[in-house]
């Protein structure tokens, strides 16, 4: 990054459970260590971000205890000198369906267990601890409080880390407590049951206590929440009509509310973290960035639904980017530049992507059309997929007419998907009545969550509180907040497009994580499994093209701008052409390079060698600069000392002149005072003589008294 002055991105991929999340942690720690943030507090904040996102976005899946259930793009910002200044987080495709349902041997998101165990153990709030239960329906596959003390103790420790981390990043106490309230409210939302009215095919809330708990935690009226769950407003011919929900519709509304609250809460936490970390970016600047992409890995479970199809399609897209960047674009560049090199054949997965994302006959396109159809069902979706894609060699339809499944031949292998509930999951219902209700909640955090605009990628964007909230759907790049226009397929396609745009705007580096065995065992190496991962990941072809190809390609201008000081003196005239590049390469004693029509082609070890030379030369330049600065500083110091000495001498001269002048003034004033005294004494003496003369006729005793008084007067005058 510092050598090329270009933003970089690290793309981590691999199977589920191969260690992508742990690799992302180590990469972030290394970047923080190398970046040396201007203050230690910023480094600690960045390291806490990963822990917080892991608690809210990860869950147990099969043998993998800490599987990422979302896509995380962490963009670490740096100054031009390499000092870390902050980070910006983007999240995509959170698997919010896990909040209401998860398969056997899987769990809900970690945060539910962490908050329940942590708050119960520490007694953070008596009000919340009084409503804790031992079992929740949204956690029933795992069971809430385990009989073993080890998981509970681990959750208590993670709760302490979560609480400290939120405080360290900058969350206020009331915001942290509001997060806990929303998590507990989601769990109690799953406990609400409905009683069916068979005559009218309507329903009513059966457990009023649970409804009261949820309404209290979310800051809304009990009656309003009950009405919003059991009824809906429908516009017919321009008139709004209140319709009662059936029990199935009420359950879907309740579960959708739980997913909406959790998804928006997670997005709001990420937005708050970005805002708090953005203060450092604004203060120190953010010229360069290094992104870290961590996402759910390719996987195949016994039962694969829409969520797994989205996950595997996202991995299919990343594999396509890898193939294009490493093989296709590189070999096209060789041919365009006239470089003679052996072409490497690789497994191109573009046909699979066209099968899944193509228009108008891709799987997601057909799913989107069927979701907007009023007559659409899972069976009609199955028929349309079989008719439109049945002849595609990467698509295999079910042999049985009673089977709602199809098979896709991915780059990593065949995966069978079941179409059951595909349309229900794709709808992503957002009840307008519920959103309107929560926009006026007494809970500030809940009110903020529901007043945010939902973008096409499912991300929240803050709006002006004074703005009319009924026009949220009219904002640019946003979708309707209230219904059928919001689908999971649309969100997935928009998120994938935005993510690819970000990745292509930087210099990508691919990190492939290899899973050593399928049983999650230590010190166990399954050779065949490792070979399969290396094969379908294109690692063998990548090794071959690195042996015969050129991993780094620079234009003549870029190459000379970056490295010309290593081989040319400062007074040489350098023209950005092929000949100047050839001379520079020869002077640097490099071999195995090639020159094209407009570019220089180098191998990876060439760039490493040049980077070391640049570092050595720059260190020498810095050393020379430091010596010159020291010499200049010494000259400036000597000049400064000489000026100070001259100023001291001037002050001393002025002081002597002032002192001499003061002495002269004192002497002259003393002479004047002495003359005045002498004249006064003469006057006194004359006065005495005259008095003595007038006393000739007086007696001798009187003359003696007058003489004594005159002498005392003279003595007193001398003393003064």
């Amino acid at each position: 990054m510092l050598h090329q002055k270009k933003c970089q991105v690290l793309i981590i991929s691999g199977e589920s459970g191969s260690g992508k999340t742990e690799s992302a942690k180590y990469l972030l720690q290394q970047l923080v260590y190398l970046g040396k943030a201007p203050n230690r507090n910023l480094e600690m904040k960045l390291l806490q971000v990963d822990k917080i996102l892991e608690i809210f976005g990860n869950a147990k899946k099969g043998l993998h205890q800490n599987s990422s259930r979302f896509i995380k793009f962490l963009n670490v910002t740096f100054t031009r000198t390499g000092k870390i200044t902050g980070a910006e987080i983007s999240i995509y495709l959170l698997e919010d369906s896990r909040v209401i349902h998860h398969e056997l041997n899987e769990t809900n998101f970690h945060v539910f267990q962490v908050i329940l165990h942590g708050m119960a153990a520490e007694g953070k709030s008596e009000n919340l601890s009084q409503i804790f239960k031992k079992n929740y329906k949204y956690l029933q596959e795992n069971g809430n409080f385990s009989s073993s003390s080890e998981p509970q103790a681990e959750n208590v420790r993670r709760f302490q880390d979560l609480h400290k981390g939120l405080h360290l990043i900058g969350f206020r106490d009331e915001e942290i407590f509001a997060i806990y309230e929303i998590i507990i409210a989601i769990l109690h939302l799953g406990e609400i049951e409905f009683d069916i009215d068979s005559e009218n095919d309507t329903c009513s809330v059966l457990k009023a206590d649970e409804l009261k708990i949820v309404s209290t935690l979310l800051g809304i009226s009990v009656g309003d929440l009950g009405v919003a769950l059991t009824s809906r407003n429908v516009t017919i011919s321009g008139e709004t009509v209140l319709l009662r929900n059936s029990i199935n519709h009420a359950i879907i509304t309740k579960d959708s509310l739980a997913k909406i609250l959790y998804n928006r809460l997670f997005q709001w936490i990420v937005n708050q973290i970005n805002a708090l970390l953005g203060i450092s970016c604004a203060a120190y600047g953010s010229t360069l960035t290094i992104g870290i992409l961590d996402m759910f890995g390719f996987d195949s479970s016994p039962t694969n639904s829409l969520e797994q199809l989205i996950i595997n399609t996202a991995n299919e897209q990343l594999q396509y980017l890898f193939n294009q960047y490493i093989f296709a674009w590189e070999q096209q560049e060789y041919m365009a530049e006239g470089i003679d090199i052996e072409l490497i054949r690789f497994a191109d997965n573009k046909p699979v992507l066209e099968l899944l994302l193509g228009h108008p006959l891709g799987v997601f396109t057909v799913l989107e059309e069927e979701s907007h159809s009023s007559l659409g069902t899972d069976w009609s979706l199955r028929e349309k997929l079989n008719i439109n894609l049945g002849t595609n060699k990467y698509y295999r339809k079910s042999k049985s007419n009673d089977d709602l499944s199809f098979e896709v031949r991915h780059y990593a292998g065949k995966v069978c998907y079941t179409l059951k509930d595909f349309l229900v999951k794709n709808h992503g219902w957002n009840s307008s009545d519920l959103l309107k209700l929560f926009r006026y909640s007494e809970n500030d955090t809940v009110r903020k969550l529901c007043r945010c605009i939902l973008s096409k990628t499912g991300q929240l964007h803050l709006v002006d509180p004074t703005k009319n909230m009924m026009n949220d759907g009219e904002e640019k790049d946003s979708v309707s907040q209230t219904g059928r226009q919001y689908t999971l397929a649309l969100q997935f396609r928009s998120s994938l497009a935005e993510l690819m745009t970000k990745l292509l705007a930087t210099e990508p580096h691919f990190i492939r994580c290899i899973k050593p065995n399928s049983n999650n065992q230590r010190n166990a190496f399954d050779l065949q499994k490792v070979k399969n991962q290396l094969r379908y990941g294109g690692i063998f072809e990548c090794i071959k093209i690195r042996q015969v190809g050129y991993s780094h390609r620079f234009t003549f201008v870029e190459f000379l701008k970056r490295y010309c000081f290593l081989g040319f003196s400062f007074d040489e005239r350098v023209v950005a052409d092929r000949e100047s590049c050839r001379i520079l390469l020869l002077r640097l004693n490099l071999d195995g390079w090639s020159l094209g029509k407009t570019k220089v082609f180098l191998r990876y070890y060439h760039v490493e060698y040049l980077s070391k030379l640049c570092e050595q030369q720059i260190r020498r330049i810095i050393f020379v600069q430091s010596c010159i600065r020291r010499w200049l500083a010494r000259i400036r110091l000597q000049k400064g000392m000489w000026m100070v000495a001259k100023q001291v001498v001037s002050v001393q001269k002025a002081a002597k002149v002032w002192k001499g002048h003061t002495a002269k003034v004192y002497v002259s004033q003393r002479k004047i005072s002495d003359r005045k005294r002498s004249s006064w004494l003469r006057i006194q003496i004359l006065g005495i003589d005259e008095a003595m003369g007038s006393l000739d006729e007086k007696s001798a005793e009187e003359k003696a008294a007058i003489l004594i008084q005159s002498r005392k007067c003279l003595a007193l005058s001398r003393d003064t």
Side-chain angles (χ1 to χ4, degrees):
M1 177 189 71
L2 294 180
H3 287 294
Q4 299 181 9
K5 300 299 179 184
K6 187 177 180 181
C7 297
Q8 313 287 312
V9 63
L10 303 169
I11 302 175
I12 309 173
S13 60
E15 289 189 3
S16 179
S18 59
K20 299 182 297 300
T21 300
E22 293 300 318
S23 299
K25 288 182 186 178
Y26 291 132
L27 285 171
L28 179 60
Q29 292 174 8
Q30 181 69 6
L31 292 178
V32 170
Y33 173 78
L34 295 175
K36 299 297 181 185
N39 61 78
R40 179 64 179 170
N41 190 36
L42 177 58
E43 295 181 4
M44 297 174 64
K45 286 181 180 181
L46 291 174
L47 296 178
Q48 288 295 326
V49 167
D50 247 358
K51 296 181 180 179
I52 294 172
L53 296 182
E54 182 179 312
I55 291 176
F56 280 91
N58 289 22
K60 178 185 176 183
K61 181 175 174 62
L63 296 175
H64 189 197
Q65 299 292 328
N66 192 32
S67 176
S68 298
R69 309 320 301 162
F70 68 107
I71 297 177
K72 176 185 66 179
F73 186 69
L74 178 62
N75 219 19
V76 185
T77 57
F78 297 85
T79 63
R80 294 188 66 85
T81 59
K83 299 296 181 182
I84 194 168
T85 61
E88 182 182 4
I89 308 163
S90 300
I91 62 172
Y92 303 96
L93 302 175
L94 176 68
E95 191 184 356
D96 52 12
S97 62
R98 182 170 292 271
V99 174
I100 63 173
H101 173 74
H102 39 274
E103 301 294 336
L104 191 64
N105 296 325
E106 296 184 5
T107 67
N108 210 320
F109 292 103
H110 294 323
V111 66
F112 292 101
Q113 296 279 8
V114 167
I115 289 180
L116 287 177
H117 285 142
M119 296 191 72
E122 296 193 1
K124 283 287 181 183
S125 172
E126 295 181 359
N127 296 330
L128 290 183
S129 61
Q130 289 175 358
I131 62 175
F132 284 167
K133 297 178 59 176
K134 292 186 177 180
N135 287 295
Y136 290 92
K137 290 184 179 179
Y138 286 162
L139 305 175
Q140 63 184 357
E141 275 79 8
N142 184 51
N144 189 22
F145 288 94
S146 176
S147 59
S148 173
S149 61
E150 292 183 2
Q152 184 171 348
E154 177 66 17
N155 286 332
V156 171
R157 184 192 64 79
R158 298 182 75 177
F159 174 77
Q160 294 171 350
D161 293 341
L162 172 64
H163 198 77
K164 293 178 182 177
L166 292 173
H167 264 295
L168 178 63
I169 291 176
F171 283 79
R172 300 191 304 270
D173 289 334
E174 54 269 25
E175 292 177 333
I176 297 175
F177 188 70
I179 293 173
Y180 299 160
E181 286 182 322
I182 295 173
I183 293 297
I184 302 301
I186 291 173
L187 291 178
H188 282 275
L189 193 61
E191 301 303 301
I192 296 177
E193 296 180 356
F194 301 96
D195 187 17
I196 187 171
D197 185 353
S198 57
E199 295 182 0
N200 302 323
D201 193 24
T202 59
C203 66
S204 59
V205 177
L206 185 61
K207 291 186 177 181
D209 294 341
E210 297 293 344
L211 187 68
K212 183 178 180 181
I213 292 173
V214 174
S215 62
T216 302
L217 292 173
L218 297 180
I220 56 177
S221 169
V222 179
D224 292 341
L225 179 59
V227 170
L229 290 175
T230 57
S231 62
R232 65 190 186 277
N233 288 316
V234 179
T235 302
I236 301 176
S237 300
E239 296 183 0
T240 302
V241 180
L242 183 65
L243 298 181
R244 297 296 301 273
N245 290 338
S246 65
I247 188 170
N248 290 332
H249 198 112
I251 292 173
I252 291 175
T253 302
K254 177 196 68 173
D255 290 341
S256 298
L257 176 59
K259 295 193 297 181
I260 291 169
L261 285 175
Y262 189 79
N263 198 329
R264 287 180 175 245
L265 176 64
F266 192 23
Q267 297 275 1
W268 177 79
I269 291 173
V270 171
N271 288 344
Q272 290 295 102
I273 292 174
N274 287 336
L276 294 170
L277 293 180
I279 299 174
S280 300
C281 294
Y284 300 109
S286 55
T287 306
L288 300 172
T289 62
I290 296 179
I292 301 176
L293 178 64
D294 178 26
M295 61 179 288
F296 29 52
F298 187 92
D299 196 12
S300 177
S301 303
T303 302
N304 301 290
S305 189
L306 179 59
E307 298 86 0
Q308 198 61 47
L309 177 62
I310 288 175
I311 291 171
N312 290 344
T313 304
N315 280 272
E316 196 83 47
Q317 180 69 65
L318 282 185
Q319 180 63 27
Y320 177 74
L321 176 64
F322 173 82
N323 289 339
Q324 292 297 109
Y325 188 82
I326 299 297
F327 303 111
W329 296 339
E330 185 171 329
Q331 295 188 122
Q332 289 175 6
E333 197 167 9
Y334 293 150
M335 296 175 65
E337 291 288 326
I339 303 299
D340 186 16
I341 191 174
E342 178 187 357
L343 296 181
I344 306 298
R345 299 185 62 182
F346 62 95
D348 190 2
N349 64 333
K350 184 178 181 180
V352 183
L353 276 181
E354 292 178 348
L355 166 71
L356 297 170
L357 299 173
H359 189 81
L361 298 179
V363 173
F364 284 96
T365 304
V366 176
L367 172 62
E368 191 74 8
E369 292 176 354
E370 199 65 14
S371 296
H372 290 296
S373 173
S374 58
L375 302 177
T377 63
D378 294 334
W379 290 101
S380 63
L381 175 62
R382 172 183 176 272
E383 291 301 320
K384 287 189 176 181
L385 288 176
N386 290 340
I387 292 173
N388 295 322
L389 305 174
T391 58
N392 193 308
K393 67 177 182 179
Y394 296 97
Y395 176 89
R396 178 181 172 186
K397 60 184 179 180
S398 175
K399 296 180 179 180
S400 173
N401 293 328
D402 299 329
D403 189 8
L404 276 173
S405 64
F406 67 95
E407 188 178 83
V408 176
R409 205 174 88 190
H410 289 282
Y411 77 99
K414 299 177 181 179
V415 179
C416 184
Y417 300 97
T418 176
L419 288 169
K420 183 180 179 182
D421 297 331
F422 252 51
L423 296 183
V424 174
K425 293 178 179 179
N426 187 51
H427 275 308
W429 291 99
N430 281 345
S431 172
S432 59
D433 300 327
L434 286 171
L435 286 177
K436 292 176 184 176
L437 177 62
F438 287 119
R439 283 171 182 166
Y440 300 98
S441 168
E442 296 178 359
N443 189 317
D444 291 338
T445 304
V446 175
R447 188 167 60 250
K448 291 176 183 177
L449 296 184
C450 296
R451 288 190 175 187
C452 291
I453 291 177
L454 188 68
S455 70
K456 290 182 180 180
T457 60
Q459 296 175 323
L460 297 185
H461 297 282
L462 297 177
V463 296
D464 187 354
T466 61
K467 197 171 186 178
N468 184 7
M469 298 308 300
M470 298 301 294
N471 297 326
D472 288 348
E474 299 176 3
E475 294 293 326
K476 183 180 179 181
D477 294 332
S478 64
V479 297
S480 171
Q481 306 286 296
T482 59
R484 290 180 179 271
Q485 293 185 16
Y486 169 75
T487 61
L488 191 56
L490 173 63
Q491 178 183 330
F492 168 63
R493 296 172 72 99
S494 301
S495 300
L496 202 58
E498 181 178 306
L499 183 61
M500 290 299 110
T501 301
K502 289 183 177 181
L503 296 181
L504 292 174
T506 58
E507 186 75 19
H509 303 269
F510 297 92
I511 299 175
R512 184 78 69 177
C513 295
I514 304 299
K515 193 174 182 179
N517 61 80
S518 301
N519 300 321
N520 201 25
Q521 295 178 351
R522 295 182 179 180
N523 301 323
F525 189 84
D526 188 342
L527 181 59
Q528 188 59 41
K529 182 173 182 60
V530 172
K531 283 184 177 180
N532 290 337
Q533 294 176 78
L534 296 175
R535 176 186 52 77
Y536 71 67
I539 305 300
F540 294 136
E541 292 83 359
C542 182
I543 294 173
K544 189 173 182 180
I545 200 171
R546 283 292 163 264
Q547 289 176 338
V548 300
Y550 304 91
S551 58
H552 294 79
R553 300 168 292 280
F554 305 101
T555 63
F556 295 154
V557 175
E558 286 179 332
F559 181 71
L560 292 172
K561 183 179 180 180
R562 191 174 301 170
Y563 301 116
C564 70
F565 73 99
L566 297 176
F568 292 98
S569 60
F570 72 95
D571 56 347
E572 285 187 87
R573 184 174 178 272
V574 180
V575 180
D577 57 5
R578 180 188 176 98
E579 183 61 23
S580 297
C581 294
R582 188 186 67 83
I583 294 173
L584 177 59
L585 290 168
L586 292 175
R587 289 183 180 182
L588 294 175
N589 296 323
L590 297 179
D591 56 358
W593 43 267
S594 291
L595 291 175
K597 298 176 182 178
T598 61
K599 291 186 177 182
V600 178
F601 291 80
L602 302 176
R603 304 186 190 276
Y604 70 92
Y605 53 84
H606 290 149
V607 176
E608 292 179 359
Y609 174 71
L610 291 175
S611 298
K612 290 181 180 179
L613 284 181
C614 284
E615 291 177 1
Q616 293 174 0
Q617 198 71 6
I618 289 173
R619 280 198 296 266
R620 292 170 183 170
I621 293 172
I622 293 174
F623 177 75
V624 172
Q625 290 176 343
S626 64
C627 292
I628 294 174
R629 290 193 185 100
R630 182 178 61 182
W631 177 76
L632 292 174
R634 182 178 296 175
I635 296 298
R636 285 194 296 268
L637 178 61
Q638 292 175 353
K639 288 183 178 180
M641 292 176 65
W642 174 248
M643 293 299 297
V644 170
K646 290 175 65 176
Q647 291 173 1
V648 169
V649 172
S650 300
V651 171
Q652 289 176 347
K653 288 181 178 180
K656 290 178 180 179
V657 171
W658 176 81
K659 187 175 180 181
H661 176 71
T662 304
K664 290 179 180 179
V665 171
Y666 176 76
V667 171
S668 62
Q669 289 179 350
R670 185 64 180 267
K671 289 180 179 180
I672 294 171
S673 63
D674 290 344
R675 285 196 296 269
K676 288 181 179 180
R677 286 178 183 174
S678 62
S679 62
W680 181 79
L681 289 175
R682 284 195 298 271
I683 293 170
Q684 292 295 328
I685 293 171
L686 291 173
I688 292 172
D689 291 340
E690 291 177 359
M692 291 298 292
S694 64
L695 291 176
D696 290 339
E697 298 178 356
K698 295 184 179 182
S699 63
E701 290 83 1
E702 291 177 348
K703 291 181 180 180
I706 292 172
L707 182 61
I708 292 171
Q709 290 177 355
S710 64
R711 289 178 177 174
K712 287 183 178 180
C713 182
L714 290 173
L716 290 173
S717 65
R718 289 192 189 97
D719 293 337
T720 57

